[in-house]
Amino acid sequence: MKICRAKDYNDMSRKAANIISAQIILKPNCVLGLATGSTPIGTYKQLVEWYEKGDLDFSEVMTVNLDEYKGLTRENPQSYYYFMNEHLFGKVNIDKHRTFLPDGTEPDSATACENYNEILRAVGEPDLQLLGLGHNGHIGFNEPGEIFSTETHCIDLSEQTIKANARFFETEAEVPRQAYTMGIKTIMSARRILLVVSGEDKADIVKTAFFGPITPQVPASILQLHRNVTLVADEAALSKF
Ligand code: GLP
């Protein structure tokens, strides 16, 4: 694992955006695996700025997102579909037909997961998969459990994740209890993984996940086995080792 130390959140965002933009420049028709959450927002903002300056072209890029809340419509500002439009897709020249997320409005979990797996198979392995890190070590919405998951599945969100994500909703009761997420095997199939982590509140989990044992109780720990992972984290997130 390559560790890229950033001074602060802005520096982390710029460094991560640099890696993504290099990917797009080197392979204009690349497949990007994308993430949501608060951490990558600065990265997307930087990519949009470079696009506006004429330095980046998204016209041939294809994207697959990690996850989506089950039950939220695309118009719901808390849905990840909405998030991606708000922070990236709506602001660059990407072809919306080349952007994919699990369908949160599909009530039948088996159908939703099967459909997304089919899309992922057709699109092929991401050239670069962007990831954030949950406080409990989740990646995408792969929560701590007994086994590492394989493909897209419907997950019951943990109490910790519901509480952590409640900040985006009016009340905790509004946080969906389930989500569709890409599986660990699919995430691990990406050619390159770019993990962004910021803040002192993530320092413990960074240490546990990347310097502790590999266990499904800490899903991100599996990344220790990937051949090409870059962790871009700020000083605060790296403060425990
Ligand atoms: C969310 C998302 C993850 C994200 C994580 C951390 O629940 N499903 O993809 O990486 O939690 O979020 P944040 O960056 O806001 O701390």
Side-chain angles (χ1 to χ4, degrees):
M1 173 179 290
K2 295 186 199 87
I3 299 179
C4 207
R5 250 172 209 276
K7 281 197 298 288
D8 51 25
Y9 179 79
N10 286 340
D11 191 29
M12 178 208 75
S13 302
R14 257 194 322 274
K15 284 180 161 62
N18 260 306
I19 294 169
I20 297 171
S21 79
Q23 175 65 69
I24 298 171
I25 290 165
L26 288 169
K27 188 177 175 190
N29 64 344
C30 63
V31 177
L32 298 179
L34 296 179
T36 53
S38 52
T39 313
I41 290 176
T43 305
Y44 293 143
K45 191 161 171 268
Q46 181 64 80
L47 290 173
V48 169
E49 268 177 49
W50 286 334
Y51 162 73
E52 284 169 349
K53 277 172 67 186
D55 289 343
L56 269 181
D57 176 13
F58 288 81
S59 59
E60 291 179 61
V61 171
M62 203 175 262
T63 67
V64 284
N65 259 77
L66 285 168
D67 46 13
E68 179 60 284
Y69 286 114
K70 180 175 176 181
L72 297 193
T73 62
R74 292 175 159 198
E75 295 73 35
N76 188 313
Q78 301 313 330
S79 74
Y80 288 162
Y81 180 92
Y82 192 99
F83 175 104
M84 289 310 302
N85 272 307
E86 183 84 351
H87 294 289
L88 188 67
F89 300 158
K91 294 182 167 165
V92 298
N93 65 334
I94 200 161
D95 175 356
K96 294 266 178 67
H97 296 106
R98 295 165 74 87
T99 67
F100 303 97
L101 288 95
D103 181 3
T105 63
E106 170 56 64
D108 183 61
S109 301
T111 305
C113 296
E114 211 173 290
N115 289 346
Y116 202 52
N117 281 332
E118 229 166 80
I119 290 170
L120 294 173
R121 273 193 288 273
V123 168
E125 299 116 38
D127 293 288
L128 186 152
Q129 174 67 57
L130 177 64
L131 292 178
L133 180 65
H135 288 95
N136 59 4
H138 73 227
I139 45 177
F141 265 135
N142 288 277
E143 295 281 37
E146 296 308 312
I147 49 161
F148 288 112
S149 62
T150 55
E151 298 187 305
T152 309
H153 55 288
C154 179
I155 190 104
D156 292 331
L157 300 179
S158 70
E159 270 311 304
Q160 195 181 358
T161 299
I162 292 167
K163 281 200 184 337
N165 289 0
R167 67 188 194 278
F168 300 113
F169 294 79
E170 300 244 312
T171 63
E172 194 177 307
E174 283 175 39
V175 185
R177 267 39 189 175
Q178 290 188 311
Y180 298 132
T181 183
M182 206 187 261
I184 293 285
K185 185 176 146 205
T186 310
I187 292 173
M188 289 294 280
S189 75
R191 293 197 174 90
R192 178 174 199 177
I193 289 179
L194 170 62
L195 186 73
V196 286
V197 192
S198 167
E200 209 181 335
D201 55 317
K202 296 273 176 79
D204 282 322
I205 192 63
V206 166
K207 188 177 174 201
T208 310
F210 307 123
F211 298 92
I214 298 167
T215 162
Q217 294 298 332
V218 184
S221 64
I222 192 82
L223 299 176
Q224 293 181 41
L225 298 179
H226 193 280
R227 64 194 181 285
N228 194 351
V229 180
T230 305
L231 166 64
V232 182
D234 59 17
E235 292 289 355
L238 294 173
S239 59
K240 293 275 166 84
F241 66 91

